[in-house]
PDB file of all heavy atoms in Angstrom:
ATOM      1  N   ARG A  68      73.798 323.168 179.916  1.00 93.00           N
ATOM      2  CA  ARG A  68      75.045 323.927 180.012  1.00 93.00           C
ATOM      3  C   ARG A  68      76.198 323.200 179.321  1.00 93.00           C
ATOM      4  O   ARG A  68      76.959 323.803 178.554  1.00 93.00           O
ATOM      5  CB  ARG A  68      75.381 324.187 181.475  1.00 93.00           C
ATOM      6  CG  ARG A  68      76.607 325.079 181.651  1.00 93.00           C
ATOM      7  CD  ARG A  68      77.023 325.260 183.101  1.00 93.00           C
ATOM      8  NE  ARG A  68      77.526 323.990 183.617  1.00 93.00           N
ATOM      9  CZ  ARG A  68      77.062 323.376 184.686  1.00 93.00           C
ATOM     10  NH1 ARG A  68      76.084 323.890 185.392  1.00 93.00           N
ATOM     11  NH2 ARG A  68      77.572 322.228 185.083  1.00 93.00           N
ATOM     12  N   ASP A  69      76.298 321.907 179.549  1.00 93.00           N
ATOM     13  CA  ASP A  69      77.377 321.139 178.923  1.00 93.00           C
ATOM     14  C   ASP A  69      77.193 321.058 177.405  1.00 93.00           C
ATOM     15  O   ASP A  69      78.170 321.122 176.644  1.00 93.00           O
ATOM     16  CB  ASP A  69      77.457 319.740 179.522  1.00 93.00           C
ATOM     17  CG  ASP A  69      77.968 319.741 180.953  1.00 93.00           C
ATOM     18  OD1 ASP A  69      78.506 320.783 181.393  1.00 93.00           O
ATOM     19  OD2 ASP A  69      77.834 318.694 181.631  1.00 93.00           O
ATOM     20  N   ALA A  70      75.954 320.920 176.959  1.00 92.00           N
ATOM     21  CA  ALA A  70      75.699 320.881 175.514  1.00 92.00           C
ATOM     22  C   ALA A  70      76.051 322.215 174.877  1.00 92.00           C
ATOM     23  O   ALA A  70      76.642 322.254 173.787  1.00 92.00           O
ATOM     24  CB  ALA A  70      74.232 320.524 175.254  1.00 92.00           C
ATOM     25  N   ARG A  71      75.701 323.324 175.529  1.00 90.00           N
ATOM     26  CA  ARG A  71      76.048 324.655 174.995  1.00 90.00           C
ATOM     27  C   ARG A  71      77.565 324.832 174.938  1.00 90.00           C
ATOM     28  O   ARG A  71      78.087 325.415 173.995  1.00 90.00           O
ATOM     29  CB  ARG A  71      75.438 325.760 175.867  1.00 90.00           C
ATOM     30  CG  ARG A  71      73.932 325.794 175.868  1.00 90.00           C
ATOM     31  CD  ARG A  71      73.408 326.402 174.627  1.00 90.00           C
ATOM     32  NE  ARG A  71      71.943 326.515 174.728  1.00 90.00           N
ATOM     33  CZ  ARG A  71      71.202 327.008 173.784  1.00 90.00           C
ATOM     34  NH1 ARG A  71      71.748 327.478 172.694  1.00 90.00           N
ATOM     35  NH2 ARG A  71      69.897 327.053 173.927  1.00 90.00           N
ATOM     36  N   ALA A  72      78.259 324.319 175.937  1.00 92.00           N
ATOM     37  CA  ALA A  72      79.722 324.423 175.945  1.00 92.00           C
ATOM     38  C   ALA A  72      80.337 323.649 174.779  1.00 92.00           C
ATOM     39  O   ALA A  72      81.409 324.007 174.288  1.00 92.00           O
ATOM     40  CB  ALA A  72      80.279 323.908 177.271  1.00 92.00           C
ATOM     41  N   LEU A  73      79.657 322.603 174.333  1.00 92.00           N
ATOM     42  CA  LEU A  73      80.134 321.835 173.182  1.00 92.00           C
ATOM     43  C   LEU A  73      79.688 322.437 171.849  1.00 92.00           C
ATOM     44  O   LEU A  73      79.997 321.888 170.795  1.00 92.00           O
ATOM     45  CB  LEU A  73      79.633 320.389 173.286  1.00 92.00           C
ATOM     46  CG  LEU A  73      80.222 319.571 174.429  1.00 92.00           C
ATOM     47  CD1 LEU A  73      79.497 318.236 174.549  1.00 92.00           C
ATOM     48  CD2 LEU A  73      81.708 319.358 174.215  1.00 92.00           C
ATOM     49  N   GLY A  74      78.952 323.549 171.887  1.00 87.00           N
ATOM     50  CA  GLY A  74      78.525 324.218 170.667  1.00 87.00           C
ATOM     51  C   GLY A  74      77.202 323.721 170.115  1.00 87.00           C
ATOM     52  O   GLY A  74      76.861 324.025 168.966  1.00 87.00           O
ATOM     53  N   MET A  75      76.454 322.979 170.901  1.00 92.00           N
ATOM     54  CA  MET A  75      75.161 322.474 170.434  1.00 92.00           C
ATOM     55  C   MET A  75      74.093 323.546 170.622  1.00 92.00           C
ATOM     56  O   MET A  75      74.210 324.409 171.477  1.00 92.00           O
ATOM     57  CB  MET A  75      74.791 321.209 171.209  1.00 92.00           C
ATOM     58  CG  MET A  75      75.723 320.076 171.002  1.00 92.00           C
ATOM     59  SD  MET A  75      75.163 318.648 171.960  1.00 92.00           S
ATOM     60  CE  MET A  75      76.404 317.465 171.517  1.00 92.00           C
ATOM     61  N   ILE A  76      73.069 323.462 169.783  1.00 91.00           N
ATOM     62  CA  ILE A  76      71.955 324.404 169.880  1.00 91.00           C
ATOM     63  C   ILE A  76      70.656 323.614 169.977  1.00 91.00           C
ATOM     64  O   ILE A  76      70.601 322.449 169.615  1.00 91.00           O
ATOM     65  CB  ILE A  76      71.911 325.355 168.660  1.00 91.00           C
ATOM     66  CG1 ILE A  76      71.770 324.560 167.362  1.00 91.00           C
ATOM     67  CG2 ILE A  76      73.136 326.240 168.623  1.00 91.00           C
ATOM     68  CD1 ILE A  76      71.502 325.412 166.148  1.00 91.00           C
ATOM     69  N   LYS A  77      69.617 324.296 170.483  1.00 90.00           N
ATOM     70  CA  LYS A  77      68.308 323.654 170.567  1.00 90.00           C
ATOM     71  C   LYS A  77      67.681 323.632 169.181  1.00 90.00           C
ATOM     72  O   LYS A  77      67.998 324.454 168.311  1.00 90.00           O
ATOM     73  CB  LYS A  77      67.399 324.417 171.517  1.00 90.00           C
ATOM     74  CG  LYS A  77      67.796 324.288 172.963  1.00 90.00           C
ATOM     75  CD  LYS A  77      66.792 324.999 173.856  1.00 90.00           C
ATOM     76  CE  LYS A  77      67.200 324.871 175.306  1.00 90.00           C
ATOM     77  NZ  LYS A  77      66.270 325.588 176.184  1.00 90.00           N
ATOM     78  N   GLN A  78      66.790 322.688 168.991  1.00 91.00           N
ATOM     79  CA  GLN A  78      66.095 322.573 167.713  1.00 91.00           C
ATOM     80  C   GLN A  78      65.274 323.844 167.473  1.00 91.00           C
ATOM     81  O   GLN A  78      64.574 324.326 168.359  1.00 91.00           O
ATOM     82  CB  GLN A  78      65.185 321.349 167.726  1.00 91.00           C
ATOM     83  CG  GLN A  78      64.585 321.033 166.387  1.00 91.00           C
ATOM     84  CD  GLN A  78      63.818 319.720 166.416  1.00 91.00           C
ATOM     85  OE1 GLN A  78      63.701 319.077 167.460  1.00 91.00           O
ATOM     86  NE2 GLN A  78      63.303 319.320 165.288  1.00 91.00           N
ATOM     87  N   GLY A  79      65.448 324.417 166.311  1.00 91.00           N
ATOM     88  CA  GLY A  79      64.725 325.627 165.946  1.00 91.00           C
ATOM     89  C   GLY A  79      65.504 326.904 166.207  1.00 91.00           C
ATOM     90  O   GLY A  79      65.097 327.975 165.757  1.00 91.00           O
ATOM     91  N   GLU A  80      66.613 326.862 166.915  1.00 90.00           N
ATOM     92  CA  GLU A  80      67.433 328.048 167.148  1.00 90.00           C
ATOM     93  C   GLU A  80      68.301 328.318 165.925  1.00 90.00           C
ATOM     94  O   GLU A  80      68.663 327.417 165.179  1.00 90.00           O
ATOM     95  CB  GLU A  80      68.351 327.869 168.364  1.00 90.00           C
ATOM     96  CG  GLU A  80      67.658 327.938 169.689  1.00 90.00           C
ATOM     97  CD  GLU A  80      68.637 327.845 170.856  1.00 90.00           C
ATOM     98  OE1 GLU A  80      69.743 327.311 170.691  1.00 90.00           O
ATOM     99  OE2 GLU A  80      68.266 328.307 171.939  1.00 90.00           O
ATOM    100  N   ARG A  81      68.649 329.583 165.751  1.00 90.00           N
ATOM    101  CA  ARG A  81      69.514 329.964 164.647  1.00 90.00           C
ATOM    102  C   ARG A  81      70.925 330.186 165.198  1.00 90.00           C
ATOM    103  O   ARG A  81      71.126 331.023 166.079  1.00 90.00           O
ATOM    104  CB  ARG A  81      69.021 331.260 164.002  1.00 90.00           C
ATOM    105  CG  ARG A  81      69.923 331.714 162.876  1.00 90.00           C
ATOM    106  CD  ARG A  81      69.458 332.997 162.287  1.00 90.00           C
ATOM    107  NE  ARG A  81      68.311 332.712 161.438  1.00 90.00           N
ATOM    108  CZ  ARG A  81      67.624 333.633 160.795  1.00 90.00           C
ATOM    109  NH1 ARG A  81      67.935 334.900 160.947  1.00 90.00           N
ATOM    110  NH2 ARG A  81      66.624 333.313 160.034  1.00 90.00           N
ATOM    111  N   PRO A  82      71.869 329.438 164.670  1.00 88.00           N
ATOM    112  CA  PRO A  82      73.246 329.620 165.157  1.00 88.00           C
ATOM    113  C   PRO A  82      73.906 330.839 164.517  1.00 88.00           C
ATOM    114  O   PRO A  82      73.665 331.154 163.351  1.00 88.00           O
ATOM    115  CB  PRO A  82      73.940 328.335 164.724  1.00 88.00           C
ATOM    116  CG  PRO A  82      73.194 327.882 163.522  1.00 88.00           C
ATOM    117  CD  PRO A  82      71.774 328.315 163.733  1.00 88.00           C
ATOM    118  N   TYR A  83      74.716 331.534 165.269  1.00 86.00           N
ATOM    119  CA  TYR A  83      75.480 332.674 164.773  1.00 86.00           C
ATOM    120  C   TYR A  83      76.958 332.403 165.027  1.00 86.00           C
ATOM    121  O   TYR A  83      77.335 331.881 166.069  1.00 86.00           O
ATOM    122  CB  TYR A  83      75.084 333.964 165.500  1.00 86.00           C
ATOM    123  CG  TYR A  83      73.687 334.429 165.172  1.00 86.00           C
ATOM    124  CD1 TYR A  83      72.621 334.110 165.989  1.00 86.00           C
ATOM    125  CD2 TYR A  83      73.450 335.196 164.041  1.00 86.00           C
ATOM    126  CE1 TYR A  83      71.344 334.520 165.703  1.00 86.00           C
ATOM    127  CE2 TYR A  83      72.170 335.620 163.742  1.00 86.00           C
ATOM    128  CZ  TYR A  83      71.131 335.273 164.582  1.00 86.00           C
ATOM    129  OH  TYR A  83      69.857 335.698 164.284  1.00 86.00           O
ATOM    130  N   VAL A  84      77.790 332.827 164.070  1.00 84.00           N
ATOM    131  CA  VAL A  84      79.223 332.720 164.218  1.00 84.00           C
ATOM    132  C   VAL A  84      79.789 334.116 164.072  1.00 84.00           C
ATOM    133  O   VAL A  84      79.554 334.782 163.045  1.00 84.00           O
ATOM    134  CB  VAL A  84      79.836 331.780 163.161  1.00 84.00           C
ATOM    135  CG1 VAL A  84      81.352 331.723 163.306  1.00 84.00           C
ATOM    136  CG2 VAL A  84      79.231 330.384 163.288  1.00 84.00           C
ATOM    137  N   ILE A  85      80.529 334.573 165.045  1.00 86.00           N
ATOM    138  CA  ILE A  85      81.139 335.899 165.010  1.00 86.00           C
ATOM    139  C   ILE A  85      82.600 335.732 164.656  1.00 86.00           C
ATOM    140  O   ILE A  85      83.323 334.986 165.301  1.00 86.00           O
ATOM    141  CB  ILE A  85      80.977 336.605 166.365  1.00 86.00           C
ATOM    142  CG1 ILE A  85      79.477 336.727 166.701  1.00 86.00           C
ATOM    143  CG2 ILE A  85      81.652 337.955 166.347  1.00 86.00           C
ATOM    144  CD1 ILE A  85      79.208 337.264 168.065  1.00 86.00           C
ATOM    145  N   THR A  86      83.020 336.435 163.617  1.00 88.00           N
ATOM    146  CA  THR A  86      84.405 336.348 163.169  1.00 88.00           C
ATOM    147  C   THR A  86      85.044 337.717 163.208  1.00 88.00           C
ATOM    148  O   THR A  86      84.370 338.741 163.314  1.00 88.00           O
ATOM    149  CB  THR A  86      84.485 335.812 161.728  1.00 88.00           C
ATOM    150  OG1 THR A  86      83.767 336.670 160.869  1.00 88.00           O
ATOM    151  CG2 THR A  86      83.914 334.407 161.645  1.00 88.00           C
ATOM    152  N   GLY A  87      86.351 337.766 163.122  1.00 88.00           N
ATOM    153  CA  GLY A  87      87.076 339.014 163.041  1.00 88.00           C
ATOM    154  C   GLY A  87      87.328 339.658 164.380  1.00 88.00           C
ATOM    155  O   GLY A  87      87.676 340.853 164.457  1.00 88.00           O
ATOM    156  N   LEU A  88      87.176 338.946 165.474  1.00 88.00           N
ATOM    157  CA  LEU A  88      87.447 339.525 166.787  1.00 88.00           C
ATOM    158  C   LEU A  88      88.960 339.515 167.015  1.00 88.00           C
ATOM    159  O   LEU A  88      89.665 338.593 166.617  1.00 88.00           O
ATOM    160  CB  LEU A  88      86.754 338.720 167.886  1.00 88.00           C
ATOM    161  CG  LEU A  88      85.227 338.768 167.885  1.00 88.00           C
ATOM    162  CD1 LEU A  88      84.680 337.831 168.957  1.00 88.00           C
ATOM    163  CD2 LEU A  88      84.729 340.171 168.126  1.00 88.00           C
ATOM    164  N   PRO A  89      89.473 340.551 167.699  1.00 88.00           N
ATOM    165  CA  PRO A  89      90.911 340.567 167.975  1.00 88.00           C
ATOM    166  C   PRO A  89      91.269 339.495 169.010  1.00 88.00           C
ATOM    167  O   PRO A  89      90.469 339.148 169.876  1.00 88.00           O
ATOM    168  CB  PRO A  89      91.155 341.967 168.549  1.00 88.00           C
ATOM    169  CG  PRO A  89      89.833 342.422 169.060  1.00 88.00           C
ATOM    170  CD  PRO A  89      88.800 341.751 168.196  1.00 88.00           C
TER     171      PRO A  89
END
Side-chain angles (χ1 to χ4, degrees):
R68 185 185 68 236
D69 290 346
R71 295 283 185 180
L73 293 172
M75 297 180 179
I76 59 171
K77 289 184 180 178
Q78 189 173 3
E80 286 184 337
R81 178 182 284 178
Y83 291 96
V84 178
I85 301 174
T86 59
L88 293 175

